[in-house]
C-alpha cells in the first residue's frame, strides 16, 4: 500500500478505537488497537522489502555496497530506509548492512539526524500540544538569530504636488534570540526492542513532545529571560498605564474588563486576544455574563470570546489573572525542534532516551500587551 493509504487507514482505525472507548467497549477498542499494531508492522515490512526489491530491479553489476546501496532507490525510499535504521538503532536492534550504510549517511559530529518524516510529525504535535506556537511569530532558524518587527508606524500624509517628500519616522524593533536547551529524559526497559518501528516512533514522539511542549508554553508565558526565554509576564513593568488590578478580596467587574481593553493601543487591536486559564474564564469572567442584559462572554462551540475578542486557554497563566494583546509581537525561534539521543544502561537493562529542543523567545514590544492582575495584599 502507499504511504497515503497507510496513513488514512491508520487514522480511521484510531478514530474507531477512540469511539469504542468513549462507548465503554474496552474489549473491542483493544481489538482495534491490535489491528493498528498489525497494520504498522505490515507497512514497515512492506516498506523495507519494497526498498530491497527496487534496488535489484535493474540487476546492476556488483560494486562495493557503499556505492550501490542507493543506486536504484527514489529519495522517498532512501528516506524510509534511513528512518527504519534510525529507530532500529534507538531500539538497540541489529541493523542490516544496507541499513548501516543508510544510518551512517545521516550522522555527523552531533550524532544522527532525526528523519524528515519524524521531524515534521514532531512539529505538528508540538503545535497541537502547545497551541501558543501557532499564535506567536515563530522562526525555525538554526543558531542565533536577529529579527526585526514593526515598531512605530506613522500614518500616511497628504502630499502637495511637486513638494519634497519627507520619509516617515517609522521604526523597526530588533529582537536578538539565542537558544536554550529544553530536555526530557525517559528511561524504559529493554522491551522497547519488541515494538514495531511505527509503534515505537509514535510512542517515543508522544512521550518526548508532551513534556517539551509544556515547557515551551510555560516559557512563552512565564519565562524569566535569564538562561531561558523571556515570557509575556516580563513584557512590561506592570503599572497603572498597562494593567488593571482587582483587589485581593474583590471580584472582577465589567468595568475592569472594559478598562483593560482600553489600555491596549489601537494598532494592536486587529490581532488582540485574551490569554487566561480555564479557571479564570469560568470563575471570574463567566459570572459577568447576564444573558438578559449583556453578551460580555460569548461562545461558538468550544471557542470563547470576551467582548468579541478570542480567548486562548492555558493553565500556566496564574489564576484570576489574564493577558490581553497581540501575540504576533512575541517572537520565538525553534532552532532545533526535538532531536533524540539514546544510551543503554547496563545496570538496569534499560534504554534512556533524551529529547532535546533548542528554543528562545521574547516579547518584541512590551506595549503590545496589557495585564489583568489580582492584588496579593
Amino acid at each position: 500500500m502507499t504511504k497515503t493509504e497507510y496513513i488514512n487507514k491508520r487514522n480511521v482505525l484510531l478514530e474507531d478505537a477512540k469511539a469504542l472507548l468513549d462507548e465503554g467497549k474496552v474489549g473491542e477498542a483493544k481489538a482495534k488497537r491490535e489491528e493498528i499494531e498489525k497494520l504498522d508492522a505490515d507497512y514497515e515490512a512492506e516498506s523495507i522489502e519494497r526498498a530491497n526489491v527496487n534496488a535489484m530491479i535493474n540487476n546492476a553489476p556488483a560494486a562495493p555496497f557503499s556505492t550501490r546501496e542507493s543506486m536504484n532507490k527514489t529519495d522517498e525510499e532512501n528516506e524510509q530506509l534511513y528512518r527504519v535504521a534510525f529507530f532500529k538503532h534507538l531500539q538497540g536492534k541489529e541493523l542490516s548492512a544496507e541499513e548501516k550504510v543508510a544510518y551512517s549517511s545521516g550522522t555527523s559530529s552531533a550524532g544522527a539526524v532525526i528523519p524528515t518524516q519524524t521531524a515534521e510529525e514532531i512539529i505538528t504535535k508540538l503545535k497541537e500540544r502547545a497551541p501558543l506556537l501557532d499564535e506567536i511569530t515563530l522562526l525555525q532558524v538554526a543558531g542565533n538569530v536577529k529579527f526585526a518587527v514593526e515598531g512605530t508606524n506613522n500614518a500616511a500624509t497628504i502630499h502637495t504636488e511637486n513638494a519634497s517628500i519627507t520619509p516617515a519616522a517609522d521604526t523597526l524593533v530588533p529582537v536578538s534570540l539565542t537558544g536554550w536547551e529544553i530536555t526530557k529524559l525517559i528511561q524504559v526497559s529493554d522491551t522497547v526492542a519488541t515494538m514495531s518501528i511505527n509503534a515505537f516512533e509514535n510512542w517515543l514522539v508522544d512521550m518526548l513532545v508532551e513534556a517539551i511542549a509544556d515547557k515551551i508554553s510555560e516559557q512563552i508565558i512565564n519565562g524569566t529571560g535569564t538562561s531561558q526565554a523571556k515570557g509575556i509576564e516580563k513584557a512590561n513593568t506592570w503599572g497603572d498605564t498597562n494593567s488593571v488590578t482587582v483587589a485581593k478580596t474583590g471580584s472582577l467587574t465589567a468595568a475592569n474588563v472594559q478598562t483593560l481593553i482600553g489600555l491596549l493601543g489601537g494598532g494592536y487591536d486587529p490581532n488582540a486576544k485574551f490569554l487566561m486559564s480555564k479557571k479564570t474564564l469560568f470563575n471570574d469572567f463567566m459570572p459577568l455574563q447576564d444573558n438578559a442584559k449583556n453578551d460580555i462572554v460569548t461562545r461558538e462551540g468550544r471557542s470563547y470570546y470576551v467582548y468579541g475578542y478570542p480567548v486562548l486557554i492555558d493553565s500556566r497563566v496564574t489564576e484570576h489573572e489574564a493577558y490581553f494583546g497581540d501575540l504576533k509581537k512575541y517572537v520565538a525561534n525553534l532552532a532545533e525542534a526535538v532531536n533524540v539521543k539514546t544510551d543503554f544502561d547496563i545496570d538496569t537493562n534499560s534504554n534512556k532516551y533524551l529529547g532535546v529542543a533548542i528554543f528562545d523567545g521574547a516579547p518584541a514590544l512590551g506595549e503590545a500587551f496589557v495585564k489583568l492582575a489580582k492584588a496579593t495584599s
Side-chain angles (χ1 to χ4, degrees), residues 245-266:
T245 301
V246 178
K248 181 179 180 180
T249 58
S251 298
L252 181 69
T253 66
N256 292 148
V257 181
Q258 292 159 6
T259 300
L260 182 72
I261 293 173
L263 289 177
L264 187 68

Side-chain angles (χ1 to χ4, degrees), residues 160-315:
T160 302
E161 189 175 354
N162 296 325
S164 297
I165 299 176
T166 302
D170 294 348
T171 61
L172 292 175
V173 179
V175 180
S176 296
L177 301 175
T178 55
W180 307 107
E181 289 187 355
I182 299 176
T183 62
K184 173 64 176 180
L185 178 67
I186 57 178
Q187 186 167 353
V188 294
S189 71
D190 199 33
T191 55
V192 293
T194 65
M195 300 172 70
S196 72
I197 297 297
N198 290 324
F200 174 70
E201 178 188 26
N202 289 331
W203 169 81
L204 185 61
V205 168
D206 285 345
M207 289 289 289
L208 296 176
V209 164
E210 180 176 337
I212 290 174
D214 287 349
K215 193 64 178 179
I216 287 175
S217 292
E218 179 186 331
Q219 291 203 10
I220 292 173
I221 297 170
N222 296 313
T224 64
T226 302
S227 298
Q228 60 181 261
K230 182 179 180 180
I232 296 171
E233 170 60 24
K234 300 296 183 180
N236 290 304
T237 299
W238 304 110
D240 293 341
T241 61
N242 56 24
S243 67
V244 173
T245 301
V246 178
K248 181 179 180 180
T249 58
S251 298
L252 181 69
T253 66
N256 292 148
V257 181
Q258 292 159 6
T259 300
L260 182 72
I261 293 173
L263 289 177
L264 187 68
Y268 304 111
D269 202 70
N271 293 323
K273 295 181 181 181
F274 280 92
L275 177 62
M276 66 184 77
S277 70
K278 186 177 179 181
K279 287 185 177 180
T280 300
L281 173 64
F282 281 88
N283 295 335
D284 296 306
F285 282 80
M286 291 298 282
L288 302 179
Q289 178 72 13
D290 184 344
N291 291 329
K293 298 179 181 179
N294 62 51
D295 57 354
I296 295 175
V297 182
T298 55
R299 185 182 74 177
E300 294 180 11
R302 291 189 178 182
S303 298
Y304 291 86
Y305 301 83
V306 172
Y307 282 115
Y309 295 98
V311 176
L312 304 175
I313 301 295
D314 197 297
S315 61

Side-chain angles (χ1 to χ4, degrees), residues 49 56 95 110 194 244 320 369:
E49 191 57 32
M56 301 174 66
L95 273 61
T194 65
V244 173
H320 305 302
F369 302 93

Side-chain angles (χ1 to χ4, degrees), residues 118-195:
T118 309
E120 292 171 351
E121 181 69 11
I122 284 172
I123 289 295
T124 298
K125 290 189 175 183
L126 269 176
K127 290 184 176 182
E128 288 175 354
R129 181 74 185 186
L132 279 178
L133 290 175
D134 262 339
E135 300 292 338
I136 64 176
T137 298
L138 180 65
L139 310 175
Q140 288 178 250
V141 180
N144 298 345
V145 62
K146 191 171 185 179
F147 185 76
V149 297
E150 186 179 72
T152 304
N153 186 357
N154 291 277
T157 59
I158 297 175
H159 176 237
T160 302
E161 189 175 354
N162 296 325
S164 297
I165 299 176
T166 302
D170 294 348
T171 61
L172 292 175
V173 179
V175 180
S176 296
L177 301 175
T178 55
W180 307 107
E181 289 187 355
I182 299 176
T183 62
K184 173 64 176 180
L185 178 67
I186 57 178
Q187 186 167 353
V188 294
S189 71
D190 199 33
T191 55
V192 293
T194 65
M195 300 172 70

Side-chain angles (χ1 to χ4, degrees), residues 348-359:
T348 58
N349 190 37
S350 61
N351 290 287
K352 292 181 177 179
Y353 299 105
L354 178 67
V356 182
I358 299 178
F359 177 82

